[in-house]
Amino acid sequence: MSKAKTTNLTVEPIRRIKDIKAISRLLKSRPRDHLLWTMGINNGLRAKDLVRIRYGQVEGANPGAVINIVETKTGKTNVLVINKAVHKALQAYLAVMEPNPDDFLFKSRKGNSHISSQSVGRLVRSWASAINLKGCYGAHTLRKTWGYFQRTQHGAGFEILCKRYNHSSPAITMRYLGISDDEVCQLLMNEIG
């Protein structure tokens, strides 16, 4: 197994809403990073696919808009949904940027390309460090955070998360998101009868 794949399996989601809010506050003065963060934790797409989004794909999009994308890893069609949080972050970004339709939303400072998924991983680690969050974080943290909250706060089953992630089975999604011993113990505290 390659090192990149091992890393993808070991990074954690951000599990506490207070930490999500702390990172959001930290990024308010950095519209590009705030949009990346918000779009990542609200859509569950791979960082590799997020960074390839061009302004023309989201131009004029209102809450509820669905944008079709093709995943780079699988070649399968997936969607980016503009919810209220993403729309607000996008508007804040557009208040300071004037991108052309062909421009990447997450432009690199080097050349006319997008930032890399490795850069996304470095950014996520720096944000976690800035709020003193302990653990292993990276580019997949955005995607895993979305799934974690869909599962724990909104009751989404592994089958629907599997479909969203374009995984081949719910078992893969379960491994991908991970279930901690604490979660199992909490489940066992539920009384039946």
Side-chain angles (χ1 to χ4, degrees):
M1 184 178 279
S2 73
K3 185 170 179 75
K5 287 189 179 195
T6 301
T7 302
N8 290 346
L9 295 174
T10 58
V11 299
E12 302 172 47
I14 295 175
R15 293 180 173 89
R16 298 183 310 186
I17 199 74
K18 75 175 198 168
D19 295 327
I20 288 173
K21 288 180 178 182
I23 291 174
S24 292
R25 281 191 304 274
L26 173 74
L27 300 178
K28 281 290 186 189
S29 63
R30 295 181 251 168
R32 182 200 72 174
D33 291 353
H34 187 255
L35 178 59
L36 176 65
W37 164 254
T38 304
M39 211 176 254
I41 66 171
N42 279 279
N43 270 282
L45 293 171
R46 288 181 186 86
K48 190 180 287 191
D49 297 322
L50 279 176
V51 299
R52 286 179 168 77
I53 296 169
R54 294 181 186 269
Y55 172 62
Q57 293 175 272
V58 297
E59 185 176 14
N62 289 314
V66 177
I67 291 103
N68 289 316
I69 64 162
V70 176
E71 292 182 341
T72 53
K73 181 177 179 178
T74 65
K76 295 177 183 177
T77 300
N78 209 328
V79 295
L80 167 76
V81 174
I82 306 295
N83 66 16
K84 289 178 185 174
V86 171
H87 185 260
K88 185 176 178 182
L90 182 59
Q91 294 310 305
Y93 174 78
L94 295 176
V96 297
M97 298 296 293
E98 295 180 14
N100 294 314
D102 289 337
D103 288 346
F104 291 105
L105 280 180
F106 308 109
K107 286 177 74 168
S108 171
R109 293 186 185 127
K110 302 171 188 168
N112 197 24
S113 189
H114 55 76
I115 61 174
S116 67
S117 52
Q118 292 83 4
S119 294
V120 173
R122 282 191 294 276
L123 286 168
V124 171
R125 284 188 292 280
S126 73
W127 304 335
S129 177
I131 66 162
N132 296 316
L133 192 58
K134 304 295 181 226
C136 183
Y137 303 100
H140 276 258
T141 292
L142 301 175
R143 183 169 157 91
K144 288 184 177 190
T145 298
W146 174 83
Y148 178 82
F149 277 91
Q150 293 304 318
R151 182 171 62 83
T152 61
Q153 301 297 310
H154 302 291
F158 284 105
E159 295 80 6
I160 197 162
L161 294 173
C162 172
K163 180 164 177 48
R164 174 62 184 145
Y165 284 144
N166 268 333
H167 287 161
S168 59
S169 75
I172 291 171
T173 303
M174 290 174 73
R175 276 194 312 273
Y176 181 76
L177 289 176
I179 298 175
S180 71
D181 290 341
D182 287 346
E183 287 180 82
V184 173
C185 287
Q186 286 175 357
L187 184 67
L188 293 170
M189 290 300 294
N190 294 334
E191 297 178 18
I192 301 172

